[in-house]
Amino acid sequence: MNDLDRAHHFARSLRMIVVAAARGAALVYLFRGLSTLVGGAFWYMERRPLLKAGMMPSSEAYEWLYEGAEQLLPAVLLALFSSALAQWLVPAPRAACLRCGYSTEKLTKPVCPECGSPVPLDRPEGD
Ligand SMILES: [Zn+2]
């Protein structure tokens, strides 16, 4: 296992942690959203006579719907884009010159063509 393989392995583990954290947060938002909606529905059923009698403004009567949706939206987004988020936060490592950052992935000589400093070639070592 060479350094680049190790870096890829580390990035993969880090991405799995990010995905798990994003999905955990999505679950928290999901439960909060659902409990807001269920609680709001009961609240609404109790007060429907007031609403019908014109004793409660309709803007107030449906507030729980918006509050529930505000929780469910991040839940859906976090669940859908957890892998994309992980990919963005933990990009794939690439072999590069330590001094100038030039990509050393396709080099045949252990010298950076950009700045001339020595670079270790990442070759499969068969371990
Ligand atoms: Zn260089």
Side-chain angles (χ1 to χ4, degrees), residues 68-114:
E70 273 169 20
Q71 309 280 335
L72 290 181
L73 184 68
V76 170
L77 290 180
L78 279 169
L80 280 180
F81 297 112
S82 58
S83 329
L85 180 74
Q87 202 75 42
W88 177 69
L89 285 175
V90 189
R94 59 185 194 94
C97 170
L98 289 177
R99 188 197 259 176
C100 72
Y102 186 88
S103 172
T104 58
E105 255 153 53
K106 295 194 174 74
L107 290 190
T108 50
K109 290 180 204 159
V111 176
C112 174
E114 190 73 12

Side-chain angles (χ1 to χ4, degrees), residues 18-70:
V18 172
V19 167
R23 289 186 181 162
L27 266 182
V28 170
Y29 274 117
L30 178 72
F31 281 118
R32 283 176 57 172
L34 288 180
S35 70
T36 300
L37 288 180
V38 170
F42 280 108
W43 180 90
Y44 173 77
M45 297 298 271
E46 277 174 18
R47 284 162 185 78
R48 206 159 57 162
L50 287 177
L51 183 70
K52 287 208 164 158
M55 292 165 71
M56 184 169 65
S58 58
S59 60
E60 194 183 314
Y62 298 109
E63 245 168 34
W64 56 277
L65 273 178
Y66 298 110
E67 279 167 22
E70 273 169 20

